[in-house]
Each structure stands twice: as structure tokens, then as C-alpha cells.
Amino acid sequence: MNKVQQKAEAIFSSSNMLQRRPALKAHNESNIPGVYVIGDLAGAPVIKLAMAQGFDVIQHIAAKPDAKADQPNEYDVMIVGAGASGLNAALAAKEKGLRAVVLEKSKFANTIEDFPEGKWVYAEPDAAPPKGKLWLDGARKEDLLARWHQIVTENGLDVRTQEGIKSLERLKDRSFRVVSEKGEYHARRVVLATGQRGNPRHLGVPGEEQEWVYHRLYSPRHYKDEDVVVVGAGNSAVEAALTLSEQNRVRLCNRGDEFPLIFKGNAEKLKRAVADKKIDVMLKSQVREFGDKRAVIESDGNKQQVTVPCDHAFVLIGAELPVKFLKSLGLKLENEWTGSLARAAALTLITLAGLWILGGHAQAAGSNLGFLPRWLGALAAVAFLGALIVLGQRGDRYSWLGVSFLAFYTVYGVKVGSGNEFWPYRDWGYKAFSFFNRPWSFWYTVLYTLTMTVFGIQALKRWGLDRRDKFQIWRYVSLLSFQWIFFFLIPEFLFQWAIKYQWVGARLASDPQFAGQAWRSYGIIYAWPLFFYTFFGDPHKIWVIWGLLLSFVIIPIFVLWHGKRYCSWICGCGGLAETFGDRWRHLAPKGPTSVKWEWMNLVVLAAAAVVTVMVILRDGLGFLRHPSVWGLETYHLFADVWLVGILPVTLYPFLGGKIWCRYWCPLAKLMHLISKLYTKTGVSRYRIVSNDKCITCMECSRNCLVGIDVMSFALKQEPITNANSSCIGCGVCVSVCPMDVLSFGTLNVPGLVQIGNVAAHA
Ligand SMILES: Cc1cc2nc3c(=O)[nH]c(=O)nc-3n(C[C@H](O)[C@H](O)[C@H](O)COP(=O)(O)OP(=O)(O)OC[C@H]3O[C@@H](n4cnc5c(N)ncnc54)[C@H](O)[C@@H]3O)c2cc1C
Ligand code: SF4
Ligand code: SF4
């Protein structure tokens, strides 16, 4: 089981490879009540947004009835980190009359202080004015810092530099004891504003601690006529190598075989510098040791170790979350897979066994278990479900997986139909769930629509109203309208009324082939092969003609202009993912392996096509009769129940909402193939383009529900199309980018495609 758990964990944790953050609740409160996390550490990618979090968190704290400390030696707020967010929080605290102290482990605004000399600091995003009293406008770093020093002095803030915190303890009275490098403090609440960019990643090789091995490049022009080794493959490393190469002999050491994450401009400059022999680029190579003014580099390409002269080395391989530090304070990180898969699986099975007894199967079987009363089954189910929930609350993530599985296995396993329910609901589940004389399928649709509505309104607020983003407002209005009108009101009510009151004409209304198949009205919007039964099961010819038109004419025309936007604007399956699944969108599987798995929906599409053809031809070709029945049943069981229902919805809280759409939906694949063909033949009007302002904050990649590494496209300014990605056109990457880097192509349909501009001017 250990190996199975390891494999499961690798899948569930794939989103962590991009970026990790502390697990936060509303108002940026961490798992420790009274400890808040703001700024870069909480995902605010630029100074303005970090400042806004500092301001907002203090408004929240100040509004609490116990905002003020009880004891005279206790601070109301302890702020850790004197960066943009921490300083703005301290200014807001002062304004609210809260007694605050700021502890800074290094220099005042250390991250910005460490920017290269003369760096221009951008004040993006343009649309939002800065919140709070800290000044921000586009400026040279030196000017910005001078203004900040002045503001801090004028406001008399208590900022203590060179004093990092060492430990944090929550006391019985819910206040905190904070031990720093210089002393001990008591505070009512703690705000962590420690950033993460100031925590450079290390290689971990011998000699890295020597004073000529740096993890930042501050003043490149101070180095002249020296042997320099730069390690890294990102923009910082390439820019450093380019600047240093003007006056030095530079080797750029990259452990990969290309530079996939650098700006287009940097790539061109690097190419020129290599051609001019100004930089020696060592690909597939790794530093093994820094010795006495030399570096030992292993080149994987030819398995050789070379020793090169090295007066200075710059290891510029990014920054990382200070996991050890955060853990030592007791903070939980998002998507931590702790617990036991085997225990959760056993508890889930026993809960289901309890339900089996509750359903009366122990007695009906006439077996040795006949003595087990139904109430005992109910008791066992409640007890073991309770155990899963308690373990989950204690941090066992596999237990929550078990709870989620139980919930959606029940919902879909019962919906299969009376008498066909999955174990342990066989012969009793459907009846038990058919409340008020309406079948479970009806209540399922009600539940689905209500869930989408409740979570859809939250998502509408998050992406549309709060950001004043018209594109997202229209998208969520569209998703909710399609669900309510076409996937609820028409099939459940309006179709029947159309028959009863003959809105469809007397002939159709009295035709049992049409009138008796209300469920086919789902096919008004759901196209084959998502609506698998379009062309068989005795359809009225109206449905066949509409099905052909929808699947093979309307959808392909729509795809020409809008790619796969059907998935993020129209479809009910995609709709549930974009609403109920929205809060977990950052957990979507990431990385090249996760993209490779997308072959699966080609298999489902092929299976749908083969079974459909077999079923249509079976009357004429007798030998197809048995295989077609088997194919139909198998496809129904796997695709219609497990792949579209139980598995993806169970996985929403763990892998985001788009597992079905990305990996298994045959219609998504069909649209993808069409869109890819359009792109390759140059007729597609769908793409996302980027300008050159990306600051590598990763917000776009983090929030892409289909796991696309949007940032790497943005850096290279390479358009995102359906030839190079499975983009569904939700536009969240565009909305979330703080630098307005991304926008939909240059197509001239106002309000729908120019959303980069719409969002910027909203
Ligand atoms: C190269 C580069 C260029 C950038 N350019 C821009 C730009 O042009 N415009 C823009 O808006 N953004 C830019 N950014 C992003 C910007 O720097 C961050 O968004 C911003 O600094 C985040 O502010 P913060 O307060 O959350 O964290 P930080 O500014 O990182 O501040 C955190 C502070 O906490 C301190 N600290 C850490 N650990 C402890 C501890 N244990 N105890 C006490 N103190 C601690 C650190 O020393 C630091 O001073 C850039 C970032 C980089 C790396
Ligand atoms: S790339 Fe952007 S528009 Fe496309 S699916 Fe991802 S977040 Fe949505
Ligand atoms: S394109 Fe992506 S990584 Fe670049 S600034 Fe925008 S959101 Fe951040």
C-alpha cells in the first residue's frame, strides 16, 4: 500500500511543483487562529497587491472586539517583515490606533533593497489605486526606498531591523509569545509578512557558503576582467550573465538543455552573446563543488567533470517558500498529503458495509449475517463516517478523499436507476432518495443546479464583481443561465408543458416518439458525443437532424471563433467545475506528465464513436448485435457514471474541477481536434497573446484549471492556441495577471475577445 500511496501522492501533489503557499482561510488567517499571512507569502505577486493585503488585514483585525491587548506589555499586533505589505500594515495599524511593532530579520525593505542598482520599480496593476499610506508609483528603487524611509519616520513606526523571529507560541489566553534574535515579545495577533523572494534557493553543494559565491547580483558593473560562473536558467541568471559578460569572462551553467522560461528579448540577446563568444553556455551541466577560486562542473551530456576558474559565482536559481521556517512556527501549507490511504480506504469500505446492512441486505441474503439488525448498519455507517471526518479535521487528507468518494459514489451510484444501483444501494437506494414522490434523477438535477448557483454566485463575485471584470461577469451569467434554462427548466418542466399545451404543435405533441422522451431535450445544447444517445434509442427525426446540425455544423463553426469556450461558457459539466470546483482550481495537475495524460480523452472519443456506429448499424448487421449491447453497457458504466460523475466530482477538492473536461470528455477532445486543425491551417481566430511585461509571478499558471503553464508562454510571448495547449478560454489567466500581460487575440468582437482591454478598463 505504501507504493500505491506514494504514486497517489505524486499525482495529488503535482500542483505543488509550481508554487506553494501557507493554507489560508478568510481574511488571510492561517491555521493558527490569530496568525495572519500577507503579501508575497500569501500570493500577492506585486508591491501594490502586497500593500493592499497589509491594509486589508489590519482593517479586519481592528474591527474585532478584542483587537486591543489586555496587558500593558503586550502589543496589539506584531508584524514580521518590513517589506511592502508589512510596512503598509504597520501604517494602517497606526491609523487605527493599534500598538504595533515590526521585526525585520535583515535590512529595511530588504527584497527591494536587493534589487539591482537603479532598477525601475513598476507600480502595476494600473487600474487599481494603491491602498493605505505607503507611497507607490513607478520609480527608481533608490527613490522609492527614500520615500518609504521618510514615511516611516514621519509616522513614528516602531521598525526593528536585523531582528528575525525564531519562534512563535500561542498562549492559553490566545495571545502570542514571539521570540526574536534579540528578545521576547507578547502580542495579541501576529501578521507574517516575510515574503518569499528574499529566500533564494541554494544548490546545496560543497563550498557554496564561501563569500565569493552569491545568490543575488547587486552591482554587476563592479566586476571587471574576472572569471565568473552564473548558475541558472531563468531571466535573473540570463540577465546577470549578459550584463557581466560586458566586462568579464562568463560561463552560464544550465542543468537543462534549453532556456524555456526567459523573455523573448533575453533569448535573442543570449543567442547573440553566444555567437559573439561573449558567454560560454554550458547546457545539461551542474556545479558539483565550489573550490579555491574554481568550480567543478559536471556535464551530464558527455558525463565529464571539468574544473573551471571562478573568481565569482552567482547562483540565481529562484527563490523558494521558507518551508522549514513556516513549519517551525506551526503553519500548515496548502495541499499537504498527510495521513494514510489504507486506513481511509478501510474506513470508507466499512461505512459502505454499514449501509449495506442498513439497506436490509444482511437479512435478505439469508446468510450467516441475517442476525445483524438494520439499525446496527446505520450506527456503523455513522460511526465510521464520523471517524473519517474526525481524522480529516486532524489533518488526514486521505480521510477527506474517503468522505468525498462516499458522497459522490452515493449520488451517482444511486442515480444509475431503480434496481441497478451500485452496491450497497442495490434495490433500495433509488427509492430512499426519491423524496416527495419525485425520482432521484429529478432531485439530482435540483441539487446540481442549486450547487452551481450557490458556488457560481461566489465565483462570479470572486472573478467578476470584485475585479470589475466584465468578461468574467458575462461568463458566469452565461454558465448559470444555460444550466437553469437548458439543463433544468426545459427538461424538467417546460418540455412537458410544451407537450401539454401543444406549444410544439398538435402533431408533435401527440407523437409518443417525441412527447415520451423529455430527456432528449438535454440534446438541445449537449452535443454528441457528450450527449451520447443523440442518434440511437428510437429518437424522433427532429432530434437526429438537430443532433447532426449541432455536433457537425454549429459546434465546428463556434470552435473556429471561440476554440473550446463551450467548456467554460455553456456546458453544465464544465459549469459545475467552474463554480463548485473553482475554489480548488490551483490544485489542477501541473507539469509535462499531467499534459501527457490528456491522451485519455482520445480513447473515450474513439470508444464513443465505435459504440455509436455499432449501435446504429446493428439492425442491418446482425453480428454487431451482441458487441453493440456490450459496448453500450460498458460505455454507459465507465463514461456516463464513473468518468463523468463519481471520479471527477470526488476529485474536485484534490485536483481541481476539470478532471472530466481535461482528461475524459469526448466532446472536449472533438472540439480540441477541430480547433487544432483550424490553428494548423491558419484559419482559427482563437488564441491568447502576451506582451513583454511578465514578472514571473506564476499567478496565471497557478489558476489555470486545465494545468497549462501559461507563464512559460507569456515569457516567450508565444500565443496560446489549441495546437499547443488544451485551453478552454475561461480567461482566468487574463483576469488574474497583475501586469495585464495576457489578452485574447486581435479578433474584433468587442467585449468578448478583447478581454485584456476590457479587464484593464473595467
Ligand atoms: C527581481 C524582482 C523584481 C521585481 N520587480 C517588481 C516591480 O517592478 N514592481 C512590483 O510591483 N513588484 C516587483 N517585484 C515583486 C515585489 O518585490 C514583491 O511583490 C514585494 O516585495 C512583496 O512584498 P512583501 O512585503 O510581501 O515581501 P518582501 O518585500 O519580500 O518583504 C519581506 C520582508 O520580510 C523579511 N523577513 C523574511 N523572513 C523574516 C523573518 N524570519 N523575520 C523577520 N523578517 C523577515 C525580509 O527580509 C523582507 O524584508 C519584483 C520582485 C523581484 C524578485
Ligand atoms: S490558459 Fe487561461 S484561458 Fe486557457 S484554460 Fe487556462 S486559465 Fe483559462
Ligand atoms: S503572465 Fe502570468 S506570470 Fe507573468 S505577470 Fe502575468 S500572471 Fe504573472
Side-chain angles (χ1 to χ4, degrees):
M1 198 60 165
N2 241 347
K3 279 207 171 143
V4 179
Q5 179 156 337
Q6 273 169 14
K7 288 233 151 76
E9 227 159 281
I11 295 172
F12 289 127
S13 311
S14 83
S15 61
N16 295 354
M17 70 170 69
L18 198 66
Q19 199 190 40
R20 293 189 82 187
R21 289 187 191 155
L24 297 180
K25 296 184 249 178
H27 304 289
N28 283 29
E29 194 165 19
S30 71
N31 60 301
I32 309 172
V35 175
Y36 297 81
V37 180
I38 57 167
D40 197 10
L41 194 58
V46 285
I47 296 172
K48 196 181 273 182
L49 301 181
M51 279 168 53
Q53 287 196 358
F55 179 82
D56 290 343
V57 81
I58 294 296
Q59 310 309 308
H60 168 72
I61 291 174
K64 291 197 169 275
D66 63 344
K68 291 254 175 208
D70 304 328
Q71 311 295 331
N73 67 341
E74 197 176 292
Y75 286 96
D76 300 330
V77 196
M78 147 88 58
I79 296 164
V80 187
S85 59
L87 291 173
N88 210 32
L91 285 163
K94 185 95 186 175
E95 217 169 35
K96 287 279 172 190
L98 298 177
R99 196 166 155 246
V101 60
V102 184
L103 296 192
E104 162 59 53
K105 82 165 175 191
S106 187
K107 289 172 286 188
F108 178 90
N110 194 48
T111 304
I112 295 171
E113 184 67 59
D114 274 347
F115 285 176
E117 272 174 341
K119 176 187 161 23
W120 186 261
V121 181
Y122 298 94
E124 307 275 354
D126 287 333
K131 271 187 177 177
K133 275 182 115 175
L134 201 61
W135 180 82
L136 182 69
D137 209 342
R140 283 174 69 245
K141 97 165 195 201
E142 289 77 6
D143 299 333
L144 180 97
L145 287 176
R147 287 290 288 267
W148 284 13
H149 273 289
Q150 190 189 351
I151 292 169
V152 166
T153 313
E154 279 170 8
N155 285 276
L157 296 189
D158 186 356
V159 181
R160 305 182 185 189
T161 54
Q162 305 298 339
E163 188 172 355
I165 69 159
K166 286 190 347 202
S167 68
L168 177 73
E169 189 190 345
R170 191 166 188 254
L171 305 175
K172 278 199 182 122
D173 66 354
R174 294 184 294 167
S175 68
F176 294 90
R177 184 152 63 103
V178 180
V179 179
S180 79
E181 285 154 358
K182 293 185 183 166
E184 190 179 303
Y185 298 82
H186 286 263
R188 191 92 207 121
R189 291 189 169 77
V190 176
V191 174
L192 282 180
T194 54
Q196 56 175 328
R197 308 225 186 185
N199 188 43
R201 198 172 274 133
H202 285 59
L203 286 171
V205 298
E208 196 176 0
E209 66 295 341
Q210 297 179 80
E211 58 172 11
W212 52 271
V213 182
Y214 316 92
H215 294 86
R216 288 188 184 89
L217 174 59
Y218 183 73
S219 304
R221 309 215 184 272
H222 290 179
Y223 306 92
K224 202 168 177 189
D225 249 342
E226 313 231 46
D227 286 299
V228 178
V229 171
V230 179
V231 183
N235 282 302
S236 311
V238 171
E239 279 169 21
L242 286 167
T243 319
L244 287 161
S245 70
E246 287 166 18
Q247 309 190 109
N248 302 279
R249 295 169 295 281
V250 175
R251 283 189 176 81
L252 176 57
C253 183
N254 170 4
R255 101 185 146 159
D257 55 4
E258 54 181 329
F259 293 87
L261 293 180
I262 58 173
F263 297 133
K264 202 172 158 190
N266 281 339
E268 282 158 11
K269 282 185 204 159
L270 181 63
K271 210 169 153 190
R272 272 202 303 275
V274 173
D276 296 345
K277 299 206 178 334
K278 283 183 152 184
I279 299 179
D280 178 8
V281 173
M282 303 178 76
L283 295 173
K284 287 192 177 175
S285 57
Q286 300 192 46
V287 173
R288 289 292 171 217
E289 188 186 341
F290 291 108
D292 183 15
K293 291 284 172 182
R294 62 187 171 80
V296 180
I297 300 174
E298 188 178 275
S299 165
D300 276 350
N302 50 21
K303 298 267 173 242
Q304 267 184 8
Q305 276 204 351
V306 285
T307 302
V308 298
C310 181
D311 299 310
H312 302 279
F314 295 90
V315 179
L316 304 174
I317 51 175
E320 60 191 353
L321 193 71
V323 174
K324 248 191 189 167
F325 168 68
L326 296 174
K327 288 263 155 207
S328 73
L329 302 184
L331 259 75
K332 273 194 187 154
L333 303 185
E334 61 185 21
N335 206 24
E336 278 184 307
W337 280 86
T338 47
S340 157
L341 175 62
R343 182 178 55 197
L347 290 172
T348 306
L349 261 177
I350 302 172
T351 307
L352 286 170
L355 289 167
W356 181 74
I357 298 168
L358 171 69
H361 286 282
Q363 289 124 349
S367 68
N368 300 343
L369 300 174
F371 63 93
L372 290 173
R374 282 171 162 221
W375 61 263
L376 193 64
L379 200 67
V382 171
F384 286 99
L385 177 62
L388 279 171
I389 292 173
V390 170
L391 285 167
Q393 279 170 339
R394 290 188 185 161
D396 183 337
R397 213 154 153 71
Y398 289 101
S399 291
W400 286 128
L401 184 62
V403 172
S404 185
F405 176 78
L406 279 171
F408 296 108
Y409 177 82
T410 303
V411 166
Y412 290 95
V414 168
K415 190 174 154 271
V416 181
S418 187
N420 289 319
E421 303 97 324
F422 284 4
W423 178 88
Y425 299 105
R426 180 64 57 91
D427 294 330
W428 67 277
Y430 201 87
K431 216 166 117 198
F433 281 74
S434 297
F435 311 107
F436 306 110
N437 283 334
R438 299 294 304 250
W440 172 231
S441 57
F442 169 77
W443 291 115
Y444 167 79
T445 312
V446 172
L447 185 70
Y448 195 106
T449 308
L450 287 181
T451 307
M452 249 186 87
T453 307
V454 170
F455 290 97
I457 289 169
Q458 288 178 11
L460 171 71
K461 184 175 173 306
R462 178 184 183 197
W463 297 111
L465 301 176
D466 288 353
R467 293 168 187 262
R468 288 182 285 149
D469 185 329
K470 286 183 197 157
F471 181 89
Q472 295 299 343
I473 293 174
W474 279 116
R475 191 166 75 87
Y476 278 103
V477 167
S478 164
L479 278 172
L480 292 179
S481 305
F482 272 102
Q483 177 62 33
W484 271 92
I485 298 168
F486 292 101
F487 310 133
F488 180 54
L489 293 177
I490 290 182
E492 295 299 340
F493 300 101
L494 293 178
F495 185 89
Q496 281 85 345
W497 295 348
I499 300 299
K500 191 171 165 193
Y501 302 111
Q502 301 198 342
W503 298 340
V504 287
R507 228 171 104 201
L508 267 186
S510 55
D511 183 343
Q513 195 191 13
F514 182 81
Q517 294 192 332
W519 58 271
R520 287 201 182 269
S521 57
Y522 281 104
I524 297 174
I525 298 295
Y526 282 142
W528 180 92
L530 177 60
F531 192 58
F532 184 53
Y533 307 92
T534 305
F535 303 116
F536 52 77
D538 195 23
H540 190 280
K541 64 174 179 287
I542 280 188
W543 293 123
V544 176
I545 293 167
W546 174 247
L548 286 168
L549 257 177
L550 180 64
S551 304
F552 302 113
V553 180
I554 297 173
I555 293 262
I557 292 174
F558 182 85
V559 169
L560 177 64
W561 297 85
H562 297 292
K564 287 160 69 184
R565 283 214 180 108
Y566 180 97
C567 306
S568 60
W569 280 73
I570 294 172
C571 178
C573 305
L576 192 69
E578 295 282 352
T579 53
F580 184 38
D582 180 61
R583 65 199 49 223
W584 300 295
R585 62 186 313 130
H586 59 285
L587 300 178
K590 308 273 189 324
T593 312
S594 78
V595 175
K596 275 188 205 146
W597 296 338
E598 287 172 11
W599 59 263
M600 286 189 283
N601 53 17
L602 190 60
V603 173
V604 182
L605 173 62
V610 169
V611 175
T612 301
V613 170
M614 283 201 305
V615 176
I616 290 171
L617 297 183
R618 71 181 166 192
D619 288 340
L621 302 170
F623 69 91
L624 286 178
R625 204 154 296 151
H626 291 301
S628 68
V629 171
W630 177 84
L632 205 54
E633 283 172 0
T634 312
Y635 186 88
H636 173 66
L637 180 69
F638 281 100
D640 277 359
V641 184
W642 280 96
L643 297 187
V644 78
I646 300 171
L647 290 179
V649 190
T650 294
L651 293 171
Y652 271 22
F654 311 100
L655 293 177
K658 284 283 179 190
I659 294 300
W660 158 256
C661 311
R662 184 177 175 193
Y663 291 120
W664 299 322
C665 175
L667 179 58
K669 190 64 187 183
L670 185 63
M671 291 189 293
H672 190 120
L673 293 175
I674 298 171
S675 188
K676 190 171 175 174
L677 183 72
Y678 288 156
T679 310
K680 296 222 155 172
T681 50
V683 295
S684 173
R685 313 306 306 269
Y686 179 80
R687 64 191 173 142
I688 296 177
V689 292
S690 322
N691 61 30
D692 59 357
K693 283 164 67 186
C694 176
I695 55 162
T696 66
C697 69
M698 293 191 199
E699 281 298 288
C700 50
S701 303
R702 175 181 162 90
N703 283 289
C704 178
L705 205 44
V706 288
I708 298 167
D709 189 0
V710 185
M711 185 179 84
S712 65
F713 287 96
L715 284 170
K716 287 181 273 179
Q717 289 173 258
E718 182 184 340
I720 298 178
T721 64
N722 283 138
N724 56 21
S725 80
S726 57
C727 176
I728 50 167
C730 68
V732 165
C733 57
V734 180
S735 303
V736 86
C737 175
M739 305 296 286
D740 293 333
V741 169
L742 304 153
S743 59
F744 280 98
T746 46
L747 198 56
N748 208 10
V749 183
L752 193 56
V753 282
Q754 296 277 359
I755 67 164
N757 303 339
V758 171
H761 296 116

